[in-house]
Amino acid sequence: MMPVTTLSPTVLFATAVFIDMVIIAIMFVSVVLFSMIFVSVVLIIMLFGNLVFVRMFASIVYVR
């Protein structure tokens, strides 16, 4: 590990900006993946809910 005193401020700034960009990119990718997984889970839940609702509705109609 190099001591901080040998590095110039521009190099420190560049490394800080690079680290910030990497962190922002990782956060963006994780948010996109989480939203995709969340949307797929919601669609699956809606699909199963519609199937259950249709079965309930059909059973009510058949009873009547």
Side-chain angles (χ1 to χ4, degrees):
M1 191 69 186
M2 293 171 60
V4 180
T5 53
T6 57
L7 291 174
S8 59
T10 55
V11 173
L12 282 174
F13 183 73
T15 52
V17 169
F18 181 73
I19 291 170
D20 284 345
M21 284 174 63
V22 168
I23 291 172
I24 289 170
I26 291 171
M27 285 173 58
F28 182 73
V29 169
S30 63
V31 165
V32 168
L33 286 175
F34 180 74
S35 64
M36 284 173 61
I37 292 169
F38 183 73
V39 167
S40 61
V41 167
V42 166
L43 285 175
I44 291 170
I45 289 172
M46 282 175 61
L47 183 66
F48 280 114
N50 283 333
L51 288 176
V52 170
F53 180 74
V54 166
R55 285 183 179 178
M56 283 173 56
F57 187 72
S59 64
I60 290 170
V61 168
Y62 278 129
V63 165
R64 287 184 178 179

